[in-house]
Amino acid sequence: MSRFLLTRALGAALTIVGASIAGFVFMRLLPGDPARLIAGEHASDEAVELQRQALGLHEPIWRQYLMYVSDFVTGDWGFSYSRGEPVFDQFVNALPATLELAFVAVGTALTASVLGAVLATWSRGGVVDGLVRASSYVGLGTAPFWLGLLALIVFFERLSVLPGPEGRLSPGVAAPLRVTGFHLVDALLAGQWSTWWDAVQHVLLPGLTLGFVLYAWLVRMIRASMLEFVREPYALVARSKGRGRWAVVTRDVLPNALLPAITASGLIVAELLTSTVLAETVFNWPGVGRLVTDAILQQDFAVVQAFIMLSAFVTVTATVVTDVLYSVADPRVRVRAT
Amino acid sequence: MTDVEPEPVLTVRGLSTEYATDRGQVRAVRDVSFELRRGERLGIVGESGSGKSALALSILGLIEPPGRTVAGEVWLNGRDLRTLSEARLNRIRGKEISVVFQDPLTALNPVRRIGPQLAEAITMHQDVGRAAAKQAAIELLDDVELPRPADCYRRYPHELSGGMRQRVMIAVALANAPDVLIADEPTTALDVTTQAQIMRLIDKVVDERGTAVVLITHNMDLVADFCDTVQVMYAGQVVERGRREQLLSGSAHPYTAALMVSVPSLDTDRAAPLRSLEGLPPDLAVEHTGCALAPRCVLGRERERCRSESPAMTAVVGDAAWVSRCHFAGEQHRLTMETTP
Ligand SMILES: Nc1ncnc2c1ncn2[C@@H]1O[C@H](COP(=O)(O)OP(=O)(O)OP(=O)(O)O)[C@@H](O)[C@H]1O
Ligand SMILES: [Mg+2]
């Protein structure tokens, strides 16, 4: 098992290095001169040249890369000229907002997709199954930002039951004292009920929009494997023992069907990353996604570069964690891994 | 033993099951009727696709869409299972009637340990605590002669050999000492030595419990060793039924006679065609007139009656327990007696 872990970790580290090199080279190949951008459009050539020296742009590219990486791991992610702040601080401030959104989205998506897949399998070809499939098609076939806009039009403009795209809290509502960075948690800790309720209302639309996109993915996958496993002899054996149809689906089929879902969760994290960027933009959510889209528009390379590094890290880590989880969850793999 | 036959524990009447396929309704079980008495061992034989498994599932009420049992009665311990609600059936399945399937490799849930899969068969039907169920499960594993039963209890299915898993399945099926055990080709997936061991085990455990057995098989040797009565199926119908000696030595149906000479004694090659029968079984999706066997039958191929008139089950030689679905049962019986050494 430890050898298995070691090889996985090593492979992951190599992948992250590869991705960071690719990202670094790509950023350098992009048109636009970072030194000129930072120094300003009307700066003298000398000033630009000085800035270039300061950024180390004269060094050979491999040297630049090594410098960047060694700075990166020590927490020096560069300086964001567009906001006049260190990049690292910006991410630290934006991350809780994104994570809060992601937790709400993943939580609802997991619950809804497991429930949906179980109901679909139980009704197999019936009305419920049809509804679940239809909902999955809608989620898969619609762009997340479009879904977000639609949700805003319906719940904010027409029905006025939920707040519009104004971020995490209503204007004028002060953020609760920062403990975890999650407003939903911090407001509770501070005992500020009205702030908490305000945060809930604000996270609902972006969270559910994002959750729905994930749900569409997940429910399709879980349903497909459940329909496969429900035809397995052990499901029939369970029935012949006297277990009812519902119990067979939830207790015998579901645990088997969740295994392929675990395998796909690396992909889900990647999907979540891209969808979050879009959802944050639509809902004006001050998270990492918004940070990056703003940075791209401003050609603020340092931020984008850091985002590429982080995405590679998160995606690869998720994949490794997935593999390890899978090997723990599936007794058949567990043996081979030791 | 008295001369009075024990009362039937399972009575099947007019059972018919259809599968909806792209080619139309496939009628896999056609008007099957039989009785199984307490402690009786009935063998069901027939070519692949003759509806043996479909019959077993129909009896248990476990035909899933696109299949449907369209007619018939299944009386078990005085009630017709076909009229009962799903909830009541769940209390009967696994308790009064249970089943062992062909492939032990896929019959156990791969992500769950053996023990709980067996113990739940007990707790589902008996009001016992967890510890007692575990104890009973370990005893059952011991009963089916698994070495180190307490250790087996904690194993996952993939850690056991095919033969061991089939022992577990037998333990599961017998956990509540059912009145009827249906064994659907319980040894087909196993190697020859294991086959013999498993049959000896089934023989022992059903004997101890007085369980009536329906043994579905391709293997005539198994029937000869194990069964009291035999029922032969062809194209979804029962074509002959009688006591073992009657059918094995003096069959009164051309299909049975053909089975006797063609089925290899150790059935490894399931697809082996019946040597003395030409052609293939009829397409179950289309209704045929006359005897289902007629186009392939040595006796009936040329006879007008076989092609036009569907034969009924008739007693062969006065003995009401021996019946054949052949217009010329007597003739076939004489033929068989002449040709068997
Ligand atoms: N799920 C299903 N869908 C459609 N047709 C089916 C299904 N199950 C069985 N059948 C059909 O019913 C008929 C009887 O099948 P069954 O499995 O009962 O045969 P069998 O006698 O058990 O054969 P074997 O010896 O190969 O196990 C076959 O023609 C088969 O094609
Ligand atoms: Mg079969």
Side-chain angles (χ1 to χ4, degrees):
Chain A
M1 192 70 185
S2 56
R3 228 191 98 187
F4 165 74
L5 280 179
L6 203 70
T7 48
R8 291 304 295 139
L10 212 68
L14 284 177
T15 315
I16 293 175
V17 169
S20 66
I21 292 178
F24 190 83
V25 172
F26 177 72
M27 290 302 293
R28 283 295 179 273
L29 291 179
L30 280 183
D33 181 352
R36 160 73 61 190
L37 277 166
I38 294 173
E41 236 175 291
H42 305 292
S44 65
D45 284 352
E46 284 107 77
V48 173
E49 189 57 33
L50 270 176
Q51 186 63 50
R52 187 166 284 139
Q53 297 278 359
L55 289 173
L57 293 177
H58 280 309
E59 305 280 349
I61 191 156
W62 60 270
R63 196 77 178 269
Q64 291 183 36
Y65 172 74
L66 286 184
M67 275 164 48
Y68 181 77
V69 170
S70 65
D71 285 348
F72 192 87
V73 294
T74 56
D76 178 3
W77 294 6
F79 193 81
S80 156
Y81 78 91
S82 68
R83 295 207 195 170
E85 254 188 311
V87 175
F88 186 80
D89 294 358
Q90 290 191 6
F91 273 90
V92 168
N93 286 331
L95 200 61
T98 297
L99 286 182
E100 190 167 49
L101 192 59
F103 280 138
V104 171
V106 171
T108 46
L110 271 181
T111 318
S113 58
V114 166
L115 202 68
V118 165
L119 283 169
T121 312
W122 177 73
S123 99
R124 253 170 282 174
V127 182
V128 184
D129 189 18
L131 286 176
V132 168
R133 277 166 62 191
S135 67
S136 163
Y137 286 138
V138 170
L140 287 172
T142 346
F145 71 89
W146 196 82
L147 267 179
L149 287 177
L150 198 72
L152 277 176
I153 290 173
V154 173
F155 294 100
F156 169 58
E157 285 207 349
R158 287 286 148 80
L159 302 176
S160 314
V161 286
L162 287 170
E166 52 189 30
R168 302 173 79 186
L169 293 168
S170 300
V173 175
L177 181 72
R178 181 170 171 145
V179 181
T180 59
F182 301 138
H183 287 358
L184 291 178
V185 178
D186 290 349
L188 280 186
L189 290 179
Q192 296 166 333
W193 295 104
S194 60
T195 311
W196 183 79
W197 183 235
D198 195 53
V200 169
Q201 287 183 316
H202 280 78
V203 84
L204 225 45
L205 278 189
L208 293 189
T209 304
L210 203 52
F212 185 57
V213 175
L214 283 181
Y215 154 85
W217 247 66
L218 277 172
V219 78
R220 194 169 101 124
M221 196 169 59
I222 302 176
R223 174 184 170 274
S225 51
M226 289 199 59
L227 285 180
E228 187 188 320
F229 290 127
V230 84
R231 274 194 289 270
E232 287 285 318
Y234 58 76
L236 185 61
V237 168
R239 293 276 281 134
S240 79
K241 286 192 219 171
R243 187 167 267 185
R245 282 188 56 153
W246 175 258
V248 168
V249 170
T250 54
R251 298 179 55 180
D252 296 280
V253 179
L254 184 63
N256 282 282
L258 286 181
L259 288 178
I262 294 181
T263 325
S265 50
L267 287 172
I268 291 164
V269 168
E271 165 79 19
L272 191 62
L273 267 171
T274 49
S275 303
T276 314
V277 172
L278 296 171
E280 286 184 2
T281 311
V282 172
F283 289 97
N284 232 335
W285 194 261
V288 172
R290 256 270 310 286
L291 181 66
V292 173
T293 35
D294 286 354
I296 291 173
L297 294 176
Q298 305 280 338
Q299 292 191 289
D300 194 342
F301 291 113
V303 175
V304 181
Q305 180 90 63
F307 181 70
I308 291 177
M309 297 286 285
L310 269 187
S311 311
F313 182 76
V314 168
T315 314
V316 172
T317 311
T319 317
V320 174
V321 170
T322 298
D323 279 7
V324 175
L325 264 185
Y326 187 83
S327 71
V328 174
D330 190 336
R332 288 160 296 186
V333 183
R334 204 183 302 159
V335 169
R336 260 175 272 136
T338 38
Chain B
M1 274 282 158
T2 55
D3 284 326
V4 190
E5 298 228 290
E7 85 280 18
V9 58
L10 175 71
T11 304
V12 173
R13 270 196 216 121
L15 200 58
S16 294
T17 289
E18 293 183 352
Y19 286 100
T21 69
D22 348 319
R23 289 170 32 258
Q25 294 290 326
V26 168
R27 190 164 264 231
V29 177
R30 301 175 174 224
D31 194 19
V32 170
S33 306
F34 67 90
E35 284 181 350
L36 185 73
R37 293 173 194 285
R38 277 196 194 283
E40 182 182 339
R41 295 160 172 205
L42 168 69
I44 297 186
V45 294
E47 271 170 291
S48 193
S50 55
K52 307 182 296 293
S53 300
L55 171 61
L57 293 179
S58 306
I59 292 171
L60 289 157
L62 286 178
I63 295 284
E64 285 274 324
R68 195 169 72 87
T69 297
V70 289
E73 299 163 15
V74 178
W75 292 85
L76 179 71
N77 290 333
R79 43 201 177 344
D80 181 4
L81 301 188
R82 293 255 300 132
T83 63
L84 299 185
S85 69
E86 234 347 271
R88 286 200 62 194
L89 281 177
N90 286 335
R91 268 177 275 150
I92 291 172
R93 286 188 205 112
K95 179 154 194 272
E96 295 174 33
I97 183 166
S98 58
V99 58
V100 173
F101 292 100
Q102 173 178 334
D103 187 3
L105 297 186
T106 52
L108 285 158
N109 196 331
V111 301
R112 300 181 57 211
R113 289 174 203 275
I114 301 284
Q117 297 194 51
L118 172 55
E120 76 189 6
I122 300 168
T123 50
M124 260 187 244
H125 297 291
Q126 299 175 29
D127 190 18
V128 294
R130 268 169 164 255
K134 179 174 178 181
Q135 198 48 47
I138 292 177
E139 272 163 32
L140 273 165
L141 291 174
D142 192 39
D143 269 6
V144 295
E145 296 163 6
L146 279 164
R148 283 174 288 121
D151 180 52
C152 269
Y153 189 93
R154 274 179 284 115
R155 300 245 161 255
Y156 282 98
H158 69 269
E159 299 175 280
L160 268 56
S161 71
M164 290 166 88
R165 287 193 228 181
Q166 197 60 305
R167 286 171 192 272
V168 173
M169 293 321 297
I170 292 167
V172 167
L174 293 175
N176 300 294
D179 302 295
V180 178
L181 170 70
I182 302 180
D184 188 353
E185 307 194 36
T187 60
T188 309
L190 307 171
D191 65 73
V192 179
T193 342
T194 319
Q195 286 187 1
Q197 290 168 356
I198 293 291
M199 284 317 297
R200 265 203 304 279
L201 174 70
I202 295 182
D203 188 51
K204 186 196 87 173
V205 288
V206 298
D207 216 43
E208 286 166 1
R209 292 166 175 77
T211 315
V213 181
V214 177
L215 175 70
I216 296 174
T217 180
H218 287 240
N219 188 332
M220 281 298 169
D221 281 356
L222 276 191
V223 173
D225 285 348
F226 187 85
C227 300
D228 311 315
T229 40
V230 188
Q231 172 163 299
V232 180
M233 286 188 74
Y234 181 73
Q237 285 181 318
V238 176
V239 292
E240 187 174 9
R241 175 174 51 248
R243 284 200 303 279
R244 174 187 57 186
E245 320 80 65
Q246 294 170 325
L247 262 75
L248 290 186
S249 58
S251 148
H253 194 284
Y255 182 70
T256 318
L259 270 186
M260 295 301 165
V261 295
S262 67
V263 173
S265 56
L266 284 170
D267 183 35
T268 39
D269 185 7
R270 288 164 38 91
L274 295 179
R275 243 185 292 137
S276 55
L277 283 180
E278 285 166 17
L280 294 167
D283 184 354
L284 295 178
V286 292
E287 281 308 318
H288 41 254
T289 51
C291 174
L293 186 66
R296 303 172 77 190
C297 179
V298 201
L299 279 187
R301 206 160 18 222
E302 311 291 321
R303 298 185 185 181
E304 178 50 34
R305 185 164 175 217
C306 297
R307 294 194 157 274
S308 59
E309 188 187 329
S310 176
M313 273 293 207
T314 44
V316 177
V317 280
D319 181 352
W322 186 9
V323 284
S324 165
R325 196 183 285 278
C326 178
H327 293 308
F328 303 98
E331 187 179 337
Q332 177 63 48
H333 175 55
R334 279 192 303 280
L335 245 166
T336 321
M337 298 302 278
E338 282 163 21
T339 49
T340 22

